[in-house]
């Protein structure tokens, strides 16, 4: 029956996307999907896009999840450690939350609050050497969606010495599914359609993760909520540390990657082209007036930014071809 | 190398969706994709969502298409007959255009203009007996997107004698990809976002096709352009011809269908749940005040309304399982 | 200082639009704006679009409202009677809620629940003779947004004997502000964008109001939530009761109306053209296939469908020119 | 009959917004509105939101425009000089195009191509001393929409010595009306909805205007097209040149301005709140990690970014109160 997998936190947007990907995955067999207030509901009452899938959400407890060979956690931040503590060591885990991403406990406490749960292998296979680490790990901390978008754009440029790690400015816009499925007035369609709204300006909790993953030492990040359900577009600019062609560096770094595409010269990433896929699109140039490096990066926050990335990691951890059950191609228009 | 397929008219929205589906299809191998003004372009210059697909669009000519075992035509209305005349009889054809749908030549000339090209097997496998006809055909006329949405909602009710074929009123709203990829001011994002606009009110060219497929004898249809890229939502109301439960009739008609889902009682179809899939969602009730049957039907106009339906027909024509390479599940949110 | 007005329930969408209109009204002076949970907040914390307006929301009590010559009630259904009972008779009232619209107490109880509060003058000035009744009234029940859209399309055709009052089918789509400003998952932007979703199919609570206002005796109405913040588009079809030109009837009925525009032949109403205005756009034709009358009606649900209509009524009740402080022109694109 | 005004280029989006504002302006009387291919059309065939306005578009020629006391030019870039040369000197002109904005002829030729037409008074009344210059001018070059958004955010910070003029990074997103009303595939609703797409990355033609207006000496600007019809949101970051509180500087600079609002601490500008208004909303903070100044600025690209700004200038040039016929308040949701 293949490899048994379970999803904890299946009622949210990342959870729903995980269920969609797993339903089409040829090697993973879903044995449990859990939820909190929605436990007991048929999956289609929560995710109508899954009509045709016969599945009832169960409560989130360790007994149910322990039937699986591999568990995806898509829980609110801070809830992963407690459930992991109850799982047998033999059960592999991919955590889509932030709990095990940061190495620095003090930064965790400052930006997220509460005790630091620990540090797991960071789930971004395209970082040098990381693919092998993930394949050898039983516990993987999936990247955040902003972190994935920005790290893929920036890490090779800092690693190559082109981008000054002390002078990085990022403005990144996200679709609304990135804000989760909670009933808040500021996330109502009436407020969002026709609107761009910045939030957490000056102090976003993902900055430490991005610095850790990219090697940046000083990074200004302004996040913006955009009127679209999915997608992140990040504009990453940095001062040159030494001369070079930023597009060439990115093209070399990702030449063999199935999911990271440096676009042809003159073509710029846009979010719709990545929607529903596990791909990240990149392009880079040099700003004429300021001489800064400008990289634009686009991906689907629920795909390569969350559920797709998690399946990619799970494939590696399970000895499967990395691309199994994932689509390179976006659903557009 | 599997079954060789080609797409003529690959630069439009239906053509792009066909390429996406074919790129993920395990049995069909794409041997040619043609275009008119975009011939010579790399596919990603036309469809950026297909980054990672190495394919150059070629000019639309019979020689190139004749290499295929099966050709999908996604051409503007009126252009199919000329190209079909040049293809060997051994090449199977699915036409996504309207050219071969109508049996009545006079109606063709009245609504579309020009000479009637003929009539092919109608490509809606869920009509009684039609699946077998399609499987036995070398030439299939794919349904129109409005016709698919409305026929799936209405045909079983007329066939069962519940709905009065002489008293049907339909209002159906379509996402903008249904209007095609032509540069027109009224299709600009600035005009469409935040807007609902009816068009061809009182005389839509798809009405004869819908009447032919459903058995309706009098049908008022008002089409509306809605501010979303994909999806059709049709509200189909009819007077009762005899008593009965319309939901039960639909549930019985589609009990074994993989792509047509009569939703649980109380749940109503909405377009986003079908986006990117080959599914149609249905629900029916009786209007309290007027006593009319009300059926709501939703599907993805590029999926079950065009490219997905065409692949479903091609699967049947090729002796493959009908669901090969198609997704039941929508990409949402 | 002009005529003193107050708004009860100023924190919702209709309340916010009332404040915007009143801030630009040359004769009305706002003396109080009340709210429930938002009482004590500066208005810009609730309605950021009103930056520059110096106003703090106060609790909803009769003492504060009694300072006004005229009070607008924009409260949840069922709350108007209690507050009205505490206001001096000399204070004029326009109620934007449904409480005082229906003449039939039994229908009120069936569709809304609770005791029937009574019946006030119906606030649709464009109905024959209604303008004079409103001007002579101290208590006016503003139309509902769907009722305004549909009544303006249908009432003259029934009155003229053209439309059969026993055979009316309506499908009407509303922008999300019509669903109010409450934090519900199904109203989140992630759920709404790219989506059309029907609701209350088969039994909408506005049907009795529409029948009362139009003279229809049997009316099927299907409401749909559309991915746009404002606007209603109603498609109203009816069987002919006698021959005639429906557009001519509408054009004659509204020839002198400042806010109701029967569009030039061939032009069809669309919602964006009415956004931010107090106008309703209409067009009519005869469906070729079914011979039914088809009328399309568009307006801004917060404008002519709520706050604008209320100001129009208040102008009449205050002896002002009916158009004072209202815009005929939409904000588009 | 008041001051006679005319609009050349009335068929575009800025032209339509000018007509809307002028139709509600108590002192300006519109005597002519001209167009190119749409000359001879009734205005409602081009701008359906103006139903109720009786106006036919005339061809763009100097004779018609010369009847006016003041002419608004909303023409494509490069066409203003020719028409201005034919107008009597006594006719005042506000040019919404870029032709007369730049002082440096070489920069004009490099970024726009063609001969430099000259330099007029820059139409941004909120710059120190500029209001008086505009009032004394017969020829005013209205700001560009990006330039208005960014200059209002940045100019006071550079003038006060807080922001380093040599280290400014801007990412600004615009609604689609900013891209004009031309029929291009990349502006189709199907392509734009659900999508964010950067354009002219690394070399936008508005950078010289922004540097001229703000005093910046090095400025990286990345423009992004956002899925909304109106609005610009600019994130402007700069290194500190000396210590200080950027919000205090902005609050002091705009304390008496009717249309520029520095929001209460903790509230961030978003575009919808400015839609349909002539207001600009601002907020500033210091980025925790990088120590950079971050200012966010929002306005309506057709309002304060184009037509509203032009009317504000025209008011000043005509000796009227600056706010005549303009709204401080946005139309939201």
């Amino acid at each position: 029956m293949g490899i048994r997998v379970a999803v904890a936190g299946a009622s949210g947007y990342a959870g729903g996307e995980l269920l969609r990907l797993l339903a089409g995955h040829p090697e993973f067999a879903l044995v449990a999907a859990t939820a909190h207030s929605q436990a007991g509901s048929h999956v289609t009452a929560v995710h109508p896009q899954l009509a045709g899938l016969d599945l009832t959400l169960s409560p989130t407890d360790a007994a149910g999840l322990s039937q699986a060979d591999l568990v995806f956690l898509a829980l609110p931040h801070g809830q992963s450690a407690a459930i992991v503590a109850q799982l047998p060591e033999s059960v592999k885990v991919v955590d889509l939350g932030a709990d095990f991403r940061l190495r620095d406990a003090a930064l965790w406490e400052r930006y997220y609050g509460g005790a630091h749960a620990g540090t797991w292998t960071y789930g971004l296979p395209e970082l040098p050497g990381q693919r092998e680490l993930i394949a050898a790990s039983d516990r993987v901390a999936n990247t955040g969606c902003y972190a994935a978008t920005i790290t893929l754009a920036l890490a090779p440029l800092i690693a190559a010495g082109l981008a000054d790690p002390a002078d990085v400015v990022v403005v990144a816009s996200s679709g609304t599914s990135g804000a989760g499925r909670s009933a808040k007035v500021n996330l109502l369609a009436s407020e969002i359609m026709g609107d761009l709204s910045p939030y957490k300006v000056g102090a976003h909790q993902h900055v430490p993760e991005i610095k850790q993953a990219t090697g940046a030492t000083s990074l200004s990040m302004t996040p913006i909520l955009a009127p679209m359900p999915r997608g992140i577009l990040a504009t990453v600019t940095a001062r040159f540390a030494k001369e070079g062609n930023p597009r060439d560096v990115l093209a070399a770094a990702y030449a063999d990657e199935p999911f990271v595409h440096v676009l042809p010269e003159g073509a710029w990433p846009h979010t719709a082209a990545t929607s529903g896929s596990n791909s990240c699109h990149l392009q880079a140039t040099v700003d004429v007036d300021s001489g800064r490096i400008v990289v634009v990066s686009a991906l689907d926050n629920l795909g390569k930014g969350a559920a797709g990335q998690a399946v990619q990691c799970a494939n590696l951890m399970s000895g499967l071809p990395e691309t199994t059950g994932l689509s390179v191609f976006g659903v557009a228009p």
Side-chain angles (χ1 to χ4, degrees), chain A:
Chain A
M1 72 167 289
I3 297 160
R4 291 166 304 177
V5 299
V7 175
S11 60
Y13 292 136
E17 186 73 352
L18 268 171
L19 295 183
R20 182 179 77 85
L21 293 174
L22 295 174
H25 195 286
E27 305 292 341
F28 289 150
L30 186 71
V31 295
T34 80
H36 183 65
S37 63
Q38 300 279 4
S41 298
H42 193 271
V43 69
T44 58
V46 179
H47 297 298
Q49 74 273 20
L50 300 180
L53 183 65
D54 192 12
L55 176 72
T56 297
L57 300 180
S58 53
T60 303
D61 59 46
L65 298 171
S66 298
Q67 307 164 45
D69 301 310
L70 186 149
V71 171
F72 296 96
L73 301 179
L75 300 167
H77 294 319
Q79 300 191 2
S80 296
I83 196 81
V84 168
Q86 303 173 59
L87 293 178
E89 288 215 4
S90 60
V91 175
K92 296 176 181 182
V93 182
V94 178
D95 184 13
L96 282 78
D99 298 29
F100 296 98
R101 289 182 199 149
L102 287 189
R103 285 193 293 264
D104 185 326
L107 282 173
W108 171 269
E109 284 158 24
R110 174 167 155 211
Y111 278 89
Y112 291 92
H116 184 229
T119 313
W120 288 357
T121 301
Y122 193 60
L124 188 54
E126 289 84 2
L127 289 179
Q130 202 67 15
R131 173 169 282 121
E132 294 73 19
L133 287 176
I134 295 167
S137 296
D138 288 338
R139 298 282 187 275
V140 167
N142 213 44
T143 59
C145 53
Y146 278 121
T149 320
I150 296 163
T151 300
L152 290 170
L154 183 58
L157 297 172
I158 290 180
L162 237 69
D164 181 350
D167 189 342
V168 180
V169 177
V170 179
V171 177
S173 300
S174 172
T176 53
S177 60
R181 201 179 197 178
S182 43
K184 295 176 182 167
V185 166
N186 67 312
L187 297 178
L188 290 177
S190 297
E191 314 272 329
I192 295 284
M193 291 185 290
D195 194 37
L196 286 170
S197 57
Y199 62 101
K200 295 188 185 165
V201 184
H204 193 277
Q205 74 273 16
H206 285 185
V207 169
E209 178 187 347
I210 297 166
K211 290 170 70 180
Q212 174 181 295
T214 60
T217 57
S218 168
L219 186 145
S220 161
M221 170 176 164
T222 304
I224 295 167
L225 200 60
M228 55 190 198
R230 291 185 178 218
I232 291 184
L233 188 88
T235 303
V236 180
T237 82
R239 196 179 291 269
F240 273 102
K242 72 169 186 197
E243 283 195 18
N245 181 324
R247 187 181 177 281
D248 288 350
V249 170
L250 294 174
Y254 299 122
D256 298 325
E257 290 296 340
F259 294 121
V260 182
H261 303 274
V262 179
L263 301 187
E265 284 198 57
W268 285 89
H270 56 112
T271 59
T274 65
S275 191
S277 82
N278 197 48
S279 288
C280 175
H281 292 184
L282 295 170
Q283 184 59 284
T285 193
V286 181
D287 182 72
V288 164
D289 192 76
S290 65
R292 292 179 76 94
I293 300 167
V294 182
V295 191
V296 175
S297 175
L299 52 72
D300 182 337
N301 59 299
L302 293 181
K304 183 68 177 166
Q309 180 92 281
V311 171
Q312 187 180 350
C313 289
N315 285 339
L316 286 165
M317 295 161 76
S318 305
L320 299 172
E322 190 171 341
T323 59
T324 311
L326 294 168
S327 177
V328 172
F329 306 120
V331 180

